[in-house]
Amino acid sequence: MRTAVLLAVSCLLLERVSGKVVVPFGNGWRFHFGDDPEGPGGGPNECAFKDVTNQTCTNMDKNTYRWTEYDCMMSCCYENDCRAWQYTTMACFHGTTPDTTCSGNGTYTGGLRKDSPPFKRDYSLKDPGYNDSAWPLVSLPHDYSINQTFADDPDDAWHGYLPRNTSWYRKNFTLPAEWKGRAVYLVFEGAHQFKQVYINGEWVLDHPADYTEFTVRLDNISSVAYGGDAQSSTGGNVIAIRTDGTYGSGHWYEGGGIYRDVRIVAANETAHFVHHGVFVDPETDGSALRISAEIESFSAAAAGRAVPVEFSLSTADGVVLSTTRGPDYIVATAGSTYLNHTWDTSALRLRLWSPQAPTTYVFKAQLGGSGGAPGLWSDVVTFTTAFRTTHWGPKFALNGVTMQLNGFSHHTSFAGTGAVSGERLNLFRVQTSKAMGANFWRCSVNPYEQHLYEMLARVGLLAWDENRDFGFEYRQEMHDLVKMHRNHAPVLMWSFCNEADCDRDTQNTSATLKAIAEGLDPSRPTTANMHPSGGVATEYLDVVGYSHGLNESFIKEHGVDPAEPLLLGECCSCPVDRMAARNFTDCMREQNSPGDLPYVAGSTGVWSLMDYFGESIAWPAVTSAYGNLDISGFPKPHAYWYRLNWLVKQPAASVSRPLVNAPAALARITDVWIPGGWAMVHCAVSTAWAEVLVDGVLKGYQVADENGMTEWGGIIGDNTTNVTCNALPSITSAPVATHTLVRPGDGVQLQLLIDVPSPITGTGKKLYLDGKDMALLRAQVVDSFGVVNSSVVGNVTFAVTSGPGRLIGLGGAPDSHVPVQGDSQAFYGGLIRAVVGVTLDCTTPSRNVTYQIDRESGPLRYSPTCPAPLPPIVVTATSESFGTATATILTSSDPSDHPFEVARATANLTGYTYLEDITS
């Protein structure tokens, strides 16, 4: 039974179509926290290891990033080729050959098995008749770990002191009768960690990887019912998924559950393109496009039929530029067929993509339908594409122009959302990276969501894409990474591994991964983010990347091979608290300096843009401290070092400078006004000199240091009301930039401001009613003159009081232990972050089909039409000390307000002022 009001079915009739249908599949899931508590052999998987603690095992291979004994054991448990595991402090070893033996004396804990028993399958929670009505309804993406209780447990320290768990998802769904006889499958973009998938009680799939997609084919399962089938009066089906998130490979918070998007696809059985099977190589000067297409058929009756294949290219606005006919596809009885085609596009005079001119196009591939007649298409694949040329030498050149690469590393967790990262939230991250001078985005330590790469193409950021688990047994992950993301033009290279993971180069792993990458994408180079001590044999790397390498590491490597391309893959783990010391340290300048060497392509992985859950310095902190913004997206002092040195100080005409407005000069007092915290005043300037005035009285001049920082002691008194810093080209010059910090009075009024969507962050003005858009709100307290008070204390309670929205979660101090997705949070540095999500979908083209498929409604509601007028989302914040404030978030059904279109419209980021507007 549905739990939401039924919509008018007459408005939602499914039209019979011959082409591919792609439908969201994320609503109406039942969720159970914890493993199966009952039934035959209930409980977690039994690995049946023989205890070989204190023995020595032969033919063992280091499996890095298995940080606990349990991680080491479970990763072996779920790997069929793993015969033995051994563990000592933060070091895990696996034996993956049949002749692995254990005997004698040793110092490790461990386990041995000679045979791989079948995984446990007889869970009661998989059964289609199981009564799950008491389970809460959730929508996907969903992170179940973020709602757990923080606890000082050393086993969970790396993961933000949140316990890891095994949990279950179930969904009742109906397949439309019109889909019978078609190829039907589910696409999961990612889930943590080991997934076991059951359809109508039947096990169909295991998937071990966190960050790569997996598909579940439905039409070849005999028990699957369609609407109108005789064996089912309702055509109902049940999917059950067990997600074992008790282990992992990350020394950071990895989330839990199905934390990325899910879709259901119905394709033509006679012929359709394989998922991610169409590839247009972005490496071109525009004169010709190299196209490959992988096509499959499940129809033996159609074998031998010639099916036409057509390709077209349009502008981003939808204007068709040209169409070409490819080679016909001859229907095979089974398996895949690969077609290759080179399209002469010299007459189109295609524009090349770059950070300064992120021109994108729309590529369409079509398969002919009934009778092979062009115009009746059995399958259509459409995606954004762009074209550019690259050259790796001592420096990197894009479209023949040498440029310096500057960028940040990232993790996906965010205040209030955990591991779930929406499109507009990522747009905020992308725009803030640009505003700090970045032209590059390192997808650090794992592949990211598909929508992020779409954002990067539209706003003009280059990217590095990275494989998660490095080892011969994980080679499928590398394959899936490349196939998923090879159509995204911003991606410049494929990285095998990160840091210690790269030390595990055995069984010819690097040679295998390089062959996989080149087989799917022959134009992009391979790289790795290695420690300077080495790891992956450089003969398998086209670009050598070092993590936290200092100048001498690059000087030495360049001396060995002067022609070898080098890159600073990661640097600058410079921890700072948003409310701690506000000066610039030498950490950023010194650790970024290798990127400025004349034979190093740049510094592409500053660690990190934002804080993230996990990898904290120590309890009670539950987030990292390495970010230039905290986990709520509020800037720390270090953010202004990058805005100063990567953006403002760069020539306006530099090809390395991102397409973003920037002041001609910058002055910024990086302190906040906290009673008793004013031993020094810190002012950053982009000029040679700075002057400081206290209450309008000049206190002197200083020459800025190499970081652009000046420090002033003994100038603040108990009665000081304001401090001004001016940037001066010379001691006799007039100021070219100024910044004033005003002492706040007692807090008198709570404010609730909208940071996203907002022009100040380049994220638009309205939320799009697609059922998944998100807003970021900022609560702060001001005095009677509107000055923010950074020292206020107390809690604020938030609620959505009207409109199609819900409160997702809140962000506060790095050591806050209140529920992340509760409704109350304490001030930290005068600020609180609130995340609000849309609950109405009246814009997704296939929502009528989704409505028929979903047998239950979760937090999301579908509507055939959008209400008029469109209702805003009203959020109320209440404080016992500072009253009540409201924020009204406008909503839209106009496609121009979709985050993708906002990204394209703001590629030239002219209105971004967020870093200047934050005063706490």
Side-chain angles (χ1 to χ4, degrees):
M1 295 292 294
R2 291 186 183 273
T3 58
V5 177
L6 289 174
L7 304 175
V9 176
S10 61
C11 298
L12 299 171
L13 293 177
L14 173 64
E15 296 180 3
R16 185 181 298 272
V17 293
S18 61
K20 182 179 292 179
V21 180
V22 181
V23 181
F25 197 68
N27 199 34
W29 288 77
R30 295 281 181 176
F31 170 71
H32 172 72
F33 183 77
D35 209 347
D36 193 328
E38 57 187 56
N45 202 318
E46 297 295 335
C47 295
F49 285 109
K50 175 186 176 183
D51 186 7
V52 293
T53 298
N54 296 327
Q55 296 184 23
T56 298
C57 297
T58 62
N59 300 309
M60 301 294 282
D61 176 24
K62 188 174 183 180
N63 194 305
T64 46
Y65 290 136
R66 307 297 180 182
W67 293 92
T68 69
E69 180 179 320
Y70 189 80
D71 286 338
C72 187
M73 179 189 72
M74 290 303 292
S75 56
C76 183
C77 170
Y78 282 125
E79 176 54 58
N80 281 324
D81 293 334
C82 187
R83 301 298 186 221
W85 65 272
Q86 288 195 299
Y87 178 83
T88 188
T89 304
M90 293 183 66
C92 173
F93 300 86
H94 284 176
T96 56
T97 59
D99 54 349
T100 295
T101 60
C102 302
S103 61
N105 298 319
T107 59
Y108 297 157
T109 58
L112 172 70
R113 66 182 179 196
K114 278 298 181 183
D115 298 308
S116 295
F119 291 147
K120 176 178 169 57
R121 308 287 188 211
D122 55 345
Y123 296 103
S124 62
L125 300 189
K126 70 174 175 55
D127 295 336
Y130 182 88
N131 183 4
D132 58 15
S133 60
W135 295 13
L137 280 161
V138 300
S139 61
L140 308 182
H142 176 253
D143 177 3
Y144 61 68
S145 291
I146 200 62
N147 280 320
Q148 305 316 304
T149 301
F150 294 101
D152 185 8
D153 184 341
D155 286 344
D156 295 321
W158 292 108
H159 306 280
Y161 295 97
L162 286 167
R164 296 186 286 179
N165 199 270
T166 298
S167 292
W168 283 77
Y169 295 86
R170 289 169 57 94
K171 179 179 172 73
N172 290 270
F173 65 98
T174 297
L175 294 181
E178 291 83 352
W179 286 10
K180 194 167 187 178
R182 307 187 73 186
V184 182
Y185 56 93
L186 300 169
V187 180
F188 291 80
E189 278 204 31
H192 182 74
Q193 164 96 55
F194 193 89
K195 286 78 64 182
Q196 294 169 288
V197 182
Y198 302 84
I199 301 294
N200 298 330
E202 177 185 352
W203 170 82
V204 295
L205 179 75
D206 292 331
H207 188 260
D210 251 355
Y211 304 101
T212 54
E213 293 182 353
F214 62 98
T215 60
V216 179
R217 190 175 163 197
L218 300 178
D219 61 284
N220 62 348
I221 300 173
S222 59
S223 65
V224 166
Y226 299 79
D229 279 357
Q231 72 264 36
S232 171
S233 61
T234 61
N237 302 282
V238 177
I239 179 172
I241 303 178
R242 179 181 183 266
T243 61
D244 189 342
T246 60
Y247 76 106
S249 63
H251 51 285
W252 58 87
Y253 176 75
E254 297 175 283
I258 308 172
Y259 59 84
R260 291 186 179 174
D261 282 333
V262 185
R263 301 178 297 280
I264 187 168
V265 180
N268 188 283
E269 186 181 50
T270 300
H272 61 265
F273 295 110
V274 171
H275 186 55
H276 295 309
V278 179
F279 174 46
V280 181
D281 195 338
E283 183 71 21
T284 175
D285 62 4
S287 61
L289 302 185
R290 293 181 294 276
I291 304 166
S292 64
E294 183 181 0
I295 306 170
E296 66 182 356
S297 171
F298 301 140
S299 173
R305 178 190 299 176
V307 179
V309 181
E310 185 176 286
F311 307 114
S312 67
L313 193 68
S314 305
T315 67
D317 295 321
V319 178
V320 177
L321 299 176
S322 185
T323 299
T324 187
R325 180 80 176 262
D328 284 354
Y329 164 63
I330 307 302
V331 177
T333 56
S336 298
T337 299
Y338 296 85
L339 302 180
N340 295 303
H341 180 64
T342 299
W343 183 5
D344 183 353
T345 52
S346 55
L348 300 182
R349 305 186 61 149
L350 299 177
R351 297 178 61 187
L352 299 186
W353 181 97
S354 72
Q356 290 73 38
T359 302
T360 61
Y361 295 91
V362 177
F363 182 84
K364 181 183 291 186
Q366 301 178 115
L367 275 174
S370 303
L376 295 174
W377 303 109
S378 63
D379 197 8
V380 178
V381 171
T382 303
F383 53 83
T384 299
T385 188
F387 313 112
R388 77 290 186 279
T389 65
T390 59
H391 175 73
W392 293 90
K395 284 288 188 179
F396 169 73
L398 182 69
N399 304 328
V401 180
T402 300
M403 64 180 295
Q404 178 83 359
L405 300 176
N406 292 320
F408 297 96
S409 294
H410 304 267
H411 274 311
T412 58
S413 61
F414 193 89
T417 68
V420 175
S421 190
E423 292 162 351
R424 202 172 301 265
L425 195 156
N426 269 333
L427 179 58
F428 166 72
R429 287 176 163 135
V430 167
Q431 302 289 43
T432 300
S433 295
K434 288 181 63 174
M436 291 166 62
N439 57 27
F440 193 93
W441 181 291
R442 179 182 168 223
C443 295
S444 41
V445 304
N446 54 256
Y448 284 56
E449 304 95 330
Q450 286 286 356
H451 73 250
L452 171 67
Y453 301 85
E454 184 85 11
M455 293 287 185
L456 299 179
R458 291 170 182 247
V459 304
L461 283 182
L462 297 155
W464 147 318
D465 216 358
E466 192 156 272
N467 178 48
R468 173 70 214 112
D469 294 311
F470 185 66
F472 188 77
E473 68 269 37
Y474 303 122
R475 57 195 178 277
Q476 185 66 38
E477 293 185 35
M478 188 71 186
H479 172 278
D480 295 346
L481 160 68
V482 177
K483 194 167 186 178
M484 287 190 308
H485 296 158
R486 57 187 176 168
N487 278 313
H488 298 294
V491 175
L492 293 182
M493 63 197 83
W494 308 116
S495 173
F496 292 158
C497 52
N498 175 66
E499 296 183 335
D501 217 8
C502 301
D503 298 341
R504 190 192 180 205
D505 192 12
T506 59
Q507 299 188 59
N508 212 17
T509 298
S510 295
T512 300
L513 297 194
K514 185 174 179 62
I516 288 172
E518 291 181 345
L520 292 166
D521 173 20
S523 68
R524 286 183 176 92
T526 54
T527 188
N529 187 48
M530 302 183 294
H531 285 134
S533 56
V536 177
T538 57
E539 65 188 279
Y540 300 113
L541 301 179
D542 302 304
V543 179
V544 175
Y546 283 142
S547 178
H548 296 275
L550 300 180
N551 287 352
E552 54 265 28
S553 301
F554 292 90
I555 294 170
K556 179 181 177 181
E557 186 68 27
H558 181 67
V560 173
D561 185 357
E564 184 177 63
L566 299 172
L567 194 64
L568 181 58
E570 182 179 323
C571 78
C572 315
S573 296
C574 307
V576 64
D577 187 278
R578 183 162 64 86
M579 301 308 295
R582 307 290 291 189
N583 63 313
F584 292 163
T585 66
D586 287 335
C587 176
M588 290 88 75
R589 179 178 55 82
E590 291 179 353
Q591 293 196 30
N592 270 297
S593 62
D596 295 324
L597 292 171
Y599 41 79
V600 177
S603 176
T604 59
V606 170
W607 196 265
S608 51
L609 177 69
M610 290 182 58
D611 288 344
Y612 46 92
F613 287 110
E615 206 171 4
S616 69
I617 301 299
W619 177 268
V622 297
T623 73
S624 74
Y626 301 114
N628 291 277
L629 287 75
D630 71 8
I631 197 161
S632 295
F634 298 131
K636 303 181 189 180
H638 291 178
Y640 300 97
W641 188 95
Y642 290 98
R643 185 155 171 82
L644 182 72
N645 290 282
W646 278 6
L647 186 67
V648 176
K649 286 188 175 182
Q650 298 303 313
S654 172
V655 296
S656 302
R657 180 167 161 161
L659 194 61
V660 57
N661 70 306
L666 178 69
R668 179 77 186 192
I669 299 172
T670 57
D671 305 278
V672 293
W673 207 300
I674 301 176
W678 277 83
M680 302 286 288
V681 174
H682 303 93
C683 179
V685 293
S686 60
T687 52
W689 287 83
E691 67 177 10
V692 164
L693 297 85
V694 175
D695 293 333
V697 178
L698 180 64
K699 293 297 181 179
Y701 303 89
Q702 281 191 25
V703 175
D705 67 15
E706 292 176 291
N707 295 305
M709 177 59 72
T710 59
E711 297 184 351
W712 309 75
I715 64 172
I716 299 297
D718 292 340
N719 297 317
T720 299
T721 61
N722 64 79
V723 181
T724 297
C725 177
N726 293 323
L728 310 174
S730 70
I731 198 170
T732 60
S733 303
V736 292
T738 186
H739 182 226
T740 298
L741 199 62
V742 178
R743 177 196 291 270
D746 292 338
V748 297
Q749 181 58 54
L750 181 68
Q751 288 184 334
L752 190 57
L753 307 177
I754 302 171
D755 287 334
V756 175
S758 172
I760 71 167
T761 53
T763 53
K765 298 178 181 179
K766 301 177 182 180
L767 287 184
Y768 191 60
L769 292 175
D770 61 355
K772 60 182 181 179
D773 208 354
M774 294 184 192
L776 300 181
L777 278 61
R778 175 190 0 146
Q780 60 187 26
V781 172
V782 297
D783 66 11
S784 57
F785 295 98
V787 178
V788 176
N789 190 313
S790 300
S791 57
V792 295
V793 294
N795 282 41
V796 177
T797 300
F798 297 81
V800 174
T801 52
S802 67
R806 66 185 177 99
L807 181 66
I808 294 176
L810 305 172
D815 60 355
S816 172
H817 299 153
V818 301
V820 172
Q821 296 191 332
D823 64 356
S824 181
Q825 182 59 268
F827 285 107
Y828 180 66
L831 305 176
I832 301 173
R833 174 67 76 204
V835 185
V836 173
V838 165
T839 57
L840 172 64
D841 182 359
C842 61
T843 61
T844 303
S846 56
R847 64 190 180 279
N848 59 329
V849 186
T850 305
Y851 184 80
Q852 292 191 54
I853 290 173
D854 292 348
R855 295 173 65 82
E856 295 185 289
S857 295
L860 175 61
R861 184 172 65 89
Y862 298 102
S863 175
T865 58
C866 291
L870 292 172
I873 300 170
V874 179
V875 183
T876 300
T878 304
S879 163
E880 290 186 2
S881 302
F882 306 110
T884 298
T886 61
T888 301
I889 309 168
L890 300 180
T891 63
S892 173
S893 59
D894 187 332
S896 66
D897 289 310
H898 188 283
F900 286 168
E901 293 309 305
V902 173
R904 187 158 68 94
T906 57
N908 187 359
L909 190 57
T910 58
Y912 188 102
T913 60
Y914 177 70
L915 293 175
E916 280 69 39
D917 290 352
I918 296 289
T919 58
S920 182

